[in-house]
């Protein structure tokens, strides 16, 4: 599909795509596809005020009814899956099946949130006082700001928004300035759900188009009690303290530096498939991409040979073409970053296989994936380079492997390939992986929505999506009700008047 066909299938008119100051390019060929009108920074106060006013109405709507809106959103997403998936491919450069997969993830979290809308459970708690009842209830908290990264232009928004909406919170979305079209197309889909829903307040979902300064307005506002920000650790370092300063709640989903330990007992064919998908999928531009392979010395050479052989047969090129497995990096700067990291790795003793700039499609930033054998976990290995570079290091004992796995600033995803139960359980234990995600015989990327998603250390500590992540979008209240005719004080305190 041509760019203009994909844009019109997603519902954009020429007028919407021209006349503005934000240039959007497709990483497929570097072509300019839109000049979008940016949201003026001065308008952010009005945007936040609209969300605040929507909140006063939405919080009173029963949660299962709020779930109905998310159910309709899920239906509209199902109907628009191909068009939105194609737009993800156009704007983020993902291969077709990964673009569709991202939309499927939105659908899945909508289904999850619909069920949740009939739960949002509190507790009853035993009171120490006779004739008293204690309970914990969960209430909507207010407008939620959602800042997203280019590499997952829609799914992380849905992880936040589907939950926030059933929890009773309006959403203000500041997508990456590199992928605003996916957000605007999602807004169109949401608006179709709103029409079918009927009586939702105005301002339930607003999308603001522009750069970091719009995000900063959300970060600074006391009227945005929850700020969820997905992106680089550099961004999180700027955002986290500012939200803390105003006692807001930040859900930070930042960079990863994910590892796989391959033990001598591992099923190497399975490990190989997991390695290739998680290291080169999305051209190495997933927060959960596999970046470090920690492999037992006894199988290191064999595994490196298998990986380099597998890499040589991967089709690199136009992500829309059937059979392509590696599409473009987001832009030329990312390609430069990859080449600089490879130079640094070589200077730090690395032996590089692959990694050359690939012909791809004219105008796009395409590269062959690289495997780099490292003598140690040097400085460059400890950094997240957003590109398909896999560093390989050897180990002798499991303790060494776990120590290497944990000895990086980031703590998002991790895994071990082993058929040894003791090794697997040690890896998952309190003295094992220190990451938010730890898997056995599965790669580090491609998480399901049912689990809480996020990581520790410089990954930011946030949790989104499944499990009880919904609690991040609500305020908790402890209630004590006295239905007796006495007024006993807790802890036996006497205060008779
Ligand atoms: P980025 O940090 O450059 O930008 C992310 C978003 O933050 C953009 O919308 C940007 O406009 C905004 N932003 C930047 N500075 C800001 C500031 N000071 N205040 C408010 N907003 C600001 O990241 P990117 O290049 O778009 O994405 C790649 C990074 O995102 C990688 O590090 C990747 O690991 C990370 N990521 C993490 C997760 C996760 O769930 N942990 C998911 C996807 C991506």
């Amino acid at each position: 599909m041509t760019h203009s066909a994909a844009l019109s299938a997603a519902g954009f008119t020429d007028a919407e795509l021209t006349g503005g100051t934000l240039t959007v390019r497709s990483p497929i060929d570097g072509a300019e596809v839109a000049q979008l009108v940016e949201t003026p920074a001065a308008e952010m106060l009005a945007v936040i005020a609209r969300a605040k006013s929507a909140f006063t109405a939405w919080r009173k709507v029963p949660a299962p009814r709020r779930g109905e809106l998310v159910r309709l959103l899920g239906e509209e997403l199902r109907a628009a899956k191909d068009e939105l998936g194609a737009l993800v491919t156009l704007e983020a450069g993902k291969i077709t099946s990964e673009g569709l997969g991202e939309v499927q993830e939105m659908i899945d979290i909508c289904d999850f949130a619909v069920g949740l809308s009939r739960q949002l459970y509190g507790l009853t708690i035993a009171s120490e006082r006779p004739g008293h009842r204690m309970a914990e209830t969960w209430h909507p908290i207010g407008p939620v700001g959602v800042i997203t990264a280019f590499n997952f232009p829609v799914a992380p928004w849905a992880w936040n928004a589907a939950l926030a909406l059933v929890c009773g919170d309006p959403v203000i979305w500041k997508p990456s300035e590199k992928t605003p079209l996916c957000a605007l197309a999602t807004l169109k889909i949401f608006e179709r759900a709103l029409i079918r829903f009927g009586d939702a307040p105005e301002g339930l979902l607003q999308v603001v188009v522009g750069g970091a300064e719009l995000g900063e307005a959300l970060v600074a506002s006391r009227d945005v009690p929850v700020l969820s920000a997905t992106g680089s650790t550099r961004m999180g370092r700027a955002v986290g303290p500012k939200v803390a300063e105003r006692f807001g709640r930040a859900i930070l989903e930042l960079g990863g530096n994910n590892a796989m330990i391959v033990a001598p007992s591992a099923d190497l064919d399975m490990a190989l498939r997991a390695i290739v998908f998680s290291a080169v999928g999305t051209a190495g531009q997933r927060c959960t991409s596999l970046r470090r392979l920690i492999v037992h010395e006894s199988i290191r050479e064999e595994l490196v040979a298998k990986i380099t052989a597998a890499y040589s047969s991967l089709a690199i090129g136009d992500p829309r073409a059937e059979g392509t497995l590696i599409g473009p990096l987001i832009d030329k700067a990312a390609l430069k970053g990859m080449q600089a990291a490879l130079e640094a790795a070589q200077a730090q003793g690395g032996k590089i296989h692959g990694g050359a700039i690939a012909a791809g499609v004219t105008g796009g930033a395409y590269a062959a994936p690289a495997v780099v054998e490292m003598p140690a976990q040097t400085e460059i290995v400890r950094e997240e380079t957003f590109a398909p570079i896999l560093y390989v290091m050897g180990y002798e004992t499991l303790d060494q492997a776990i120590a290497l796995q944990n000895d990086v600033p980031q703590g998002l995803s991790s895994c071990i390939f082993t058929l040894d139960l003791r090794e697997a359980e040690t890896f998952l234990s309190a003295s094992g992986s220190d990451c938010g995600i730890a898997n056995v015989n599965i790669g580090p990327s491609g998480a399901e929505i049912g689990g809480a998603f996020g990581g520790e250390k410089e990954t930011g500590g946030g949790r989104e999506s499944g499990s009880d992540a919904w609690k991040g979008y609500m305020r908790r209240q402890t209630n004590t009700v006295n239905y007796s005719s006495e007024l006993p004080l807790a802890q036996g305190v006497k205060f008779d008047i």
Side-chain angles (χ1 to χ4, degrees):
M1 205 187 310
T2 63
H3 295 335
S4 58
L7 289 164
S8 74
F12 289 106
T13 62
D14 285 348
E16 286 174 308
L17 299 173
T18 47
T21 46
L22 180 64
T23 302
V24 184
R25 292 182 183 280
S26 172
I28 296 174
D29 52 8
E32 184 179 312
V33 292
Q35 290 272 349
L36 292 180
V37 175
E38 296 184 63
T39 307
E43 211 179 295
M44 287 307 286
L45 283 179
V47 168
I48 294 167
R50 254 195 307 279
K52 207 176 157 189
S53 142
F55 175 60
T56 58
W58 192 239
R59 68 182 170 188
K60 288 189 282 198
V61 175
R65 173 83 184 129
R66 300 194 295 248
E68 171 62 8
L69 175 59
V70 175
R71 192 186 70 76
L72 293 169
L73 173 61
E75 275 190 9
E76 293 297 336
L77 283 167
R78 281 179 169 86
K81 183 173 172 181
D82 288 349
E83 294 77 10
L84 188 55
L87 196 64
V88 171
T89 294
L90 183 158
E91 212 180 19
K94 294 190 182 194
I95 62 169
T96 299
S97 124
E98 288 188 285
L100 291 170
E102 195 170 342
V103 183
Q104 186 58 46
E105 208 167 332
M106 302 171 84
I107 295 168
D108 293 344
I109 193 69
C110 284
D111 287 355
F112 179 92
V114 174
L116 187 65
S117 73
R118 289 187 181 269
Q119 300 175 64
L120 305 177
Y121 297 131
L123 300 168
T124 54
I125 301 160
S127 169
E128 68 187 54
R129 287 170 283 187
H132 284 57
R133 181 174 67 79
M134 280 178 74
E136 181 171 272
T137 45
W138 293 89
H139 294 298
I141 192 166
V144 173
V146 181
I147 296 173
T148 51
F150 80 81
N151 66 321
F152 272 93
V154 284
W157 167 79
W159 300 345
N160 285 279
L163 298 195
L165 287 169
V166 300
C167 289
D169 307 326
V171 172
I172 304 169
W173 183 7
K174 208 299 283 172
S176 164
E177 50 275 50
K178 293 176 186 168
T179 53
L181 292 169
C182 286
L184 293 172
T186 302
L187 180 63
K188 287 175 189 288
I189 293 166
F190 183 76
E191 281 166 353
R192 297 205 280 274
L194 271 181
I195 290 170
R196 289 173 61 196
F197 181 77
D199 56 352
E202 196 225 343
L204 216 41
L205 171 63
Q206 299 176 82
V207 174
V208 295
V209 175
E213 66 288 355
L214 300 184
E216 282 163 12
L218 296 174
V219 167
S221 175
R222 288 173 197 279
D223 290 325
V224 179
V226 178
L227 194 282
S228 168
T230 301
S232 58
T233 294
R234 179 185 42 77
M235 177 275 285
R237 240 186 220 111
V239 164
K242 286 191 191 139
V243 178
E245 200 173 77
R246 63 173 175 85
F247 299 101
R249 189 182 296 167
I251 301 173
L252 297 178
E253 299 285 350
L254 311 174
N257 192 352
N258 318 294
M260 177 190 292
I261 296 174
V262 186
S265 68
D267 177 332
L268 279 196
D269 289 338
M270 226 167 87
L272 178 68
R273 277 163 48 209
I275 290 165
V276 175
F277 169 69
S278 49
V280 311
T282 323
Q285 300 169 108
R286 287 185 178 217
C287 51
T288 52
S289 289
L290 178 63
R291 309 206 179 280
R292 297 177 296 137
L293 194 64
I294 302 166
V295 52
H296 194 268
E297 286 293 0
S298 62
I299 49 171
R300 174 176 162 152
E301 239 175 75
E302 181 189 355
L303 190 55
V304 169
K306 279 178 190 276
I307 300 168
T308 49
Y311 273 17
S312 66
S313 67
L314 298 174
I316 306 170
D318 190 325
R320 298 165 296 186
E322 191 145 345
T324 298
L325 289 176
I326 306 180
L329 292 170
I330 188 68
D331 52 25
K332 294 261 156 51
L335 192 58
K336 245 174 136 177
M338 176 174 175
Q339 299 307 314
L342 289 175
E343 275 167 32
Q346 194 163 34
Q348 290 167 27
K351 181 179 166 201
I352 300 173
H353 310 265
I357 294 174
V361 181
T362 314
Y366 293 81
V371 174
V372 187
E373 294 183 78
M374 295 301 295
Q377 189 150 272
T378 63
E379 204 181 321
I380 191 68
V381 182
R382 291 162 50 81
E383 281 176 26
E384 180 196 50
T385 300
F386 225 48
I389 300 176
L390 180 63
Y391 299 108
V392 182
M393 292 161 290
Y395 79 88
E396 294 286 357
T397 67
L398 185 64
D399 283 351
Q400 273 174 359
I402 291 174
L404 265 181
Q405 127 77 34
N406 290 345
D407 188 24
V408 290
Q410 312 82 353
L412 181 53
S413 192
S414 61
C415 61
I416 187 167
F417 269 73
T418 179
L419 298 180
D420 181 323
L421 179 71
R422 287 182 180 150
E423 286 188 337
E425 289 293 337
T426 303
F427 180 73
L428 300 181
S429 75
S431 44
S433 162
D434 64 359
C435 291
I437 297 170
N439 298 333
V440 175
N441 294 333
I442 298 176
S445 72
E448 297 179 25
I449 59 94
F453 184 91
E456 306 300 334
K457 303 191 289 186
E458 288 191 5
T459 303
R463 291 296 185 279
E464 293 175 350
S465 194
S467 183
D468 65 350
W470 61 270
K471 291 177 177 170
Y473 306 85
M474 301 201 88
R475 67 183 165 85
R476 182 195 308 243
Q477 191 171 67
T478 301
N479 309 129
T480 308
V481 178
N482 177 3
Y483 58 93
S484 77
S485 50
E486 305 295 324
L487 195 64
L489 299 178
Q491 295 89 40
V493 172
K494 297 284 175 226
F495 204 86
D496 295 329
I497 51 168

